[in-house]
Structures are given as C-alpha cells and as structure tokens.
Amino acid sequence: MSGRADTAGDLTPAAAAFPKHYRLLKTDEFSSVFGLRRTLRSRHFLLHYRRRDSTETPGARLGLVVAKRFLRRSVDRNLVRRLVREHFRLLRARLRSCDLVMRLAVKPLPLDRRALANEIEGLLSKMMSTDR
C-alpha cells in the first residue's frame, strides 16, 4: 500500500479509466471548442469548453495543448499532461456533457507538481459549478 488517500472515491478501476471516447483527437473537435471562445482562466492554464447538446454522445471529453515554447523538456510537458488527465479522469463523472480543452498559457516557474495539480483541480471544479 502506498499510503495515498483514495482520491477516486467509490469509483471502480473500470469506471475511472480514460478510454479514447473521452478524448478529443481530431482537429475539427478542437476547432469547435476554440471557436466558441468560452474559457475559464487560472494562473497557468486556460480551460476552453463547449457544451454538447442531447443529440451528441453524453459525457465530458478532454483535449490537451501543452506548447513546447512554455516547457522545452518533453518530460515536463508529459508531467503536465499526466496531471491534467488524472484530475479529469477522477472528476469526469461529475462534469456535465461538454468538450474541454486544457491549454497551458504561461510558463510555470518553478515547475511545482503539487501547485499545478491544485490549479488543475480548481479549474475543473469551477467548470462543474459554471452555468454559462
């Protein structure tokens, strides 16, 4: 046992997975989210979102943009992606049916894993309470 608290709550491993149908993969999917210009902002991130109507597949989907100009090392970019995916995966069941694109907007100095994780969780929590 690692001693970590179970942050997934009562989710089973299968319910907390991150399969492809919960991801934005195509350029058109990203463009439709960016086209609406609805965003939530935190210190380092922009969360672009688009509500999906009832005719589309229910559930939240996630896309990521982590530019090389903000984090030169691929290890650092992958860390940010892993953090975002993990928090999305844990909160996905409580999110409304929408497409989300999390974008790193400012270079984080220093690269503090815990602070970034708290920031990501705060943005996703704000998304859950938004009625825009």
Side-chain angles (χ1 to χ4, degrees):
M1 197 92 190
S2 67
R4 255 180 60 188
D6 184 33
T7 57
D10 295 337
L11 294 177
T12 63
F18 191 51
K20 273 196 172 181
H21 61 273
Y22 290 122
R23 303 176 195 180
L24 296 179
L25 300 172
K26 299 177 183 172
T27 303
D28 292 344
E29 295 169 340
F30 278 85
S31 297
S32 69
V33 176
F34 289 133
L36 288 180
R37 299 191 183 271
R38 289 186 174 173
T39 61
L40 297 173
R41 177 179 273 285
S42 69
R43 184 173 176 202
H44 296 106
F45 294 96
L46 282 173
L47 179 64
H48 302 269
Y49 64 94
R50 178 183 75 89
R51 299 258 189 249
R52 297 195 354 227
D53 57 16
S54 59
T55 61
E56 296 178 283
T57 310
R61 297 188 308 168
L62 176 69
L64 294 168
V65 178
V66 182
K68 190 186 275 190
R69 68 184 168 141
F70 295 129
L71 294 173
R72 296 297 297 168
R73 297 179 343 146
S74 62
V75 172
D76 296 335
R77 291 192 305 273
N78 290 335
L79 170 67
V80 170
R81 288 185 190 112
R82 276 196 316 274
L83 290 171
V84 173
R85 284 185 190 122
E86 180 66 10
H87 285 284
F88 173 78
R89 185 182 67 78
L90 295 174
L91 297 173
R92 183 188 71 229
R94 293 187 280 164
L95 288 168
R96 296 186 182 113
S97 183
C98 59
D99 290 341
L100 306 170
V101 176
M102 182 79 75
R103 182 168 66 99
L104 185 65
V106 177
K107 182 177 185 171
L109 284 176
L111 191 62
D112 182 8
R113 183 184 195 132
R114 181 168 288 145
L116 288 175
N118 289 337
E119 191 175 336
I120 292 163
E121 188 173 359
L123 259 181
L124 291 174
S125 297
K126 190 188 287 187
M127 179 65 210
M128 288 188 288
S129 65
T130 304
D131 286 328
R132 289 195 246 177

